[in-house]
Amino acid sequence: MNMITKIDELRKWRNAVSGTVGFVPTMGGLHDGHLSLVKASNDTCDNTVVSIYVNPAQFSPNEDLSNYPRDLQTDIEKLDKYSVDALFFPDDRQMYPNGFSTSVSESQLSSKLEGKSRPTHFAGVTTIVSKLFNLVNPTHAFFGKKDAQQLRVIQKMVTDLNFDINIIPYDIVRETNGLAMSSRNKYLSSEERRRAGILNEALTKARELLGQGERSTEKVKRFISDKILSEPLSKIDYVSIADHMTLDEASDLVQSDVLVSVAIFFAKVRLIDNFEFMIRD
Ligand code: PAF
């Protein structure tokens, strides 16, 4: 694994490799969800690049930038079990040098769902991801479906700005109780982690309701909220059933593909989860 911290070293490495290049951008705190993306890149591409960079621009002032899990050594040990050709872990001065004043923002999808609670978040994501795409110049880039809106915003950015990159979405990886893997799960005690399984339980049952023919978005959303709130540590941020591409809230569930997504505060941690469902009446 080439350990690269400087932009010019990364460019030199990139210019020397041939074949397909798979890219897995991360903020570290690696878990099996990230590692499934690395494996997918290994299975698909000739070369794999992973980046670890906790991007300040995607955190709001009230979020957890300073406590975000950082443990480069453990991350490297996990990556060592895969075929990672280059690990890029720049510092803030590399990514945002003094005087940095340009940003990339997507203006249709970014203000919905997560964007309502985190209005500057996606501009931070699209800015850093476009910088990383320019530096790594991958043929393929791998993103988890847990961050469903991030995935769609990046797909839109890639289309709108003509990046020649295949964006490969990958399934959510879950803990044994169904909790979607996330670096932020580290903030939960083991008891809280166990109880946070309620989120996936609510979504699994909601999927069953839709599968049995329930077509009222209000009923399904209420079912999800009530189930989650049966766990006293939970507070709902939003429960949404939206068109899976535009992310506009769906009113009638007739012949459409929907994204059912939820954000909650559980103990002190904000958790998100989702599933996609095809309505075929
Ligand atoms: O999903 C993440 O970990 C981050 O949003 C990303 C894509 C690495 C950009 O900082």
Side-chain angles (χ1 to χ4, degrees):
M1 180 156 59
N2 287 281
M3 309 288 247
I4 302 179
T5 56
K6 299 278 184 281
I7 284 173
D8 51 359
E9 289 167 43
L10 179 64
R11 289 218 153 105
K12 210 160 138 201
W13 175 84
R14 180 62 182 97
N15 287 336
V17 300
S18 52
T20 51
V21 174
F23 178 41
V24 182
T26 81
M27 298 206 299
L30 300 184
H31 50 67
D32 286 353
H34 296 114
L35 299 174
S36 73
L37 303 179
V38 175
K39 175 158 190 327
S41 174
N42 284 174
D43 292 346
T44 317
C45 297
D46 302 319
N47 304 275
T48 292
V49 183
V50 175
S51 65
I52 295 182
Y53 178 61
V54 182
N55 171 35
Q58 68 190 75
F59 288 77
S60 312
N62 60 341
E63 287 182 334
D64 53 348
L65 174 62
S66 58
N67 320 325
Y68 196 83
R70 290 171 173 87
D71 185 353
L72 186 61
Q73 205 41 50
T74 306
D75 288 344
I76 291 171
E77 282 161 24
K78 290 181 179 170
L79 291 174
D80 266 337
K81 302 197 171 65
Y82 296 82
S83 166
V84 177
D85 300 278
L87 173 63
F88 181 51
F89 53 105
D91 62 16
D92 289 343
R93 268 187 309 161
Q94 287 282 304
M95 298 316 284
Y96 297 107
N98 277 342
F100 185 89
S101 63
T102 302
S103 75
V104 175
S105 63
E106 185 286 328
S107 62
Q108 279 174 16
L109 304 173
S110 299
S111 55
K112 299 170 188 173
L113 303 176
E114 288 293 287
K116 287 199 179 123
S117 306
R118 310 174 75 195
T120 55
H121 172 68
F122 286 114
V125 171
T126 43
T127 300
I128 197 68
V129 171
S130 52
K131 278 172 72 74
L132 290 167
F133 281 176
N134 283 331
L135 296 172
V136 175
N137 189 19
T139 54
H140 299 70
F142 296 80
F143 290 88
K145 290 187 187 174
K146 183 182 76 80
D147 295 303
Q149 186 175 8
Q150 167 172 284
L151 172 64
R152 283 159 178 79
V153 168
I154 287 169
Q155 285 169 322
K156 186 75 168 52
M157 176 187 86
V158 162
T159 305
D160 288 351
L161 299 185
N162 307 102
F163 282 102
D164 190 11
I165 300 172
N166 292 301
I167 301 297
I168 317 283
Y170 219 73
D171 285 343
I172 299 176
V173 178
R174 298 182 180 280
E175 301 193 4
T176 39
N177 68 345
L179 178 65
M181 290 212 179
S182 161
S183 307
R184 289 188 166 100
N185 293 353
K186 287 188 179 145
Y187 301 142
L188 297 169
S189 68
S190 52
E191 173 61 10
E192 288 165 351
R193 223 158 155 142
R194 187 186 65 71
R195 289 163 71 173
I198 193 74
L199 179 52
N200 181 245
E201 208 184 300
L203 290 180
T204 305
K205 295 220 165 101
R207 187 200 282 273
E208 278 167 26
L209 282 181
L210 290 167
Q212 287 156 10
E214 179 57 68
R215 292 293 174 262
S216 159
T217 49
E218 286 319 308
K219 276 194 190 153
V220 178
K221 288 199 258 190
R222 199 167 335 111
F223 172 83
I224 294 173
S225 299
D226 290 349
K227 184 83 193 156
I228 291 172
L229 290 174
S230 69
E231 171 50 69
L233 290 174
S234 316
K235 205 171 131 219
I236 306 273
D237 185 358
Y238 64 80
V239 175
S240 158
I241 303 182
D243 177 276
H244 81 128
M245 289 310 290
T246 66
L247 304 183
D248 287 329
E249 273 318 288
S251 44
D252 293 332
L253 290 183
V254 185
Q255 291 274 347
S256 61
D257 295 355
V258 290
L259 177 73
V260 180
S261 63
V262 176
I264 64 171
F265 295 95
F266 196 86
K268 289 183 286 303
V269 186
R270 190 168 185 281
L271 301 174
I272 58 173
D273 202 346
N274 69 81
F275 68 89
E276 286 176 51
F277 193 84
M278 271 193 257
I279 310 276
R280 292 287 172 268
D281 267 347

